[in-house]
Amino acid sequence: MNLRPMIALWLVVGTSPVLIAGAPPPQTIEMGIEANTAGVSLPSSMPGPVVFSNCGTCNRSALRITPATALMLGAKTLTFAELARVAHSGSHFMMIYYKPGSPDITRIVVAAN
């Protein structure tokens, strides 16, 4: 029986808690909200509030779209005018990402059909 692989495995497994214990705690960089373009009200221009509801009986919530907000259709970057045109063209699934503890939207991603 070859002891080298067993010793190597023991060293990796034995030191893993030490490596994990020294790591900083994970941080949430952004939160995501599932939405539908039919249930989202976009502002007339940027910056401005994006008002949405997660369900038909839920209270409406508002977050803020800023000049730093990334607007996307799938992986393609959009202008605000293009996003508004896509949102008004029908019902599309979208994700709204924002900074925890802040009303600022980091990115809006509309599903490419």
Side-chain angles (χ1 to χ4, degrees):
M1 178 178 215
N2 193 347
L3 291 179
R4 286 185 190 172
M6 291 178 63
I7 291 171
L9 179 62
W10 177 78
L11 287 173
V12 170
V13 172
T15 59
S16 293
V18 174
L19 296 174
I20 294 170
Q27 296 180 354
T28 303
I29 297 173
E30 62 184 2
M31 301 287 290
I33 298 170
E34 294 181 5
N36 189 298
T37 55
V40 173
S41 297
L42 295 173
S44 57
S45 63
M46 287 177 51
V50 174
V51 182
F52 60 92
S53 178
N54 290 339
C55 68
T57 59
C58 299
N59 292 332
R60 294 185 59 80
S61 302
L63 292 173
R64 182 174 50 225
I65 192 169
T66 69
T69 302
L71 308 173
M72 304 174 76
L73 176 62
K76 178 187 172 205
T77 302
L78 298 175
T79 65
F80 181 74
E82 290 170 329
L83 174 68
R85 192 169 30 256
V86 168
H88 294 15
S89 70
S91 180
H92 304 279
F93 175 79
M94 68 189 309
M95 289 293 297
I96 301 171
Y97 297 94
Y98 65 98
K99 296 176 185 177
S102 169
D104 292 345
I105 297 173
T106 55
R107 60 191 165 123
I108 296 176
V109 182
V110 179
N113 292 340

